[in-house]
Amino acid sequence: QELDEGAVAAAEQAGFEFLLDAGLAAMARGDTLAARDLLRQAADADALRAHAAWGALSWLAETTGYAEEAFRFVEQAVEADPE
C-alpha cells in the first residue's frame, strides 16, 4: 500500500504547528521546561519552518536569563532561514 504524499505532508505540517502552538502556550503560562521541550520538537519536526521555533526558543532563553543560549538559538534561526 502506497503512502499518499499529500497526507504525509499535511500530517507533518500539523505536527509542527501543534508543537509550535503548544510550546508558545506553555511559554504564556510560564511553564518554561515544557515550552523548551515542545519548541525543540517543533524545530526538529520541520526544517523549513524551524526558524520560528528557534526564534521562540531564543526569546524564552533571553527572558529566563540564558543570554548565551539565546544567542545560539538566534544563530540557528538565521541558519534555518537566512532571509
Side-chain angles (χ1 to χ4, degrees), residues 21-79:
D21 289 347
L24 295 174
M27 283 173 52
R29 67 176 182 272
D31 189 349
T32 58
L33 294 177
R36 182 195 65 199
D37 292 343
L38 289 161
L39 292 169
R40 285 184 176 170
Q41 289 175 41
D44 291 340
D46 187 339
L48 294 177
R49 296 183 294 169
H51 64 279
W54 293 125
L57 279 161
S58 176
W59 184 85
L60 178 64
E62 181 66 30
T63 60
T64 54
Y66 295 95
E68 287 183 31
E69 189 174 17
F71 183 73
R72 192 181 81 232
F73 288 138
V74 166
E75 289 178 327
Q76 288 177 276
V78 170
E79 185 179 311

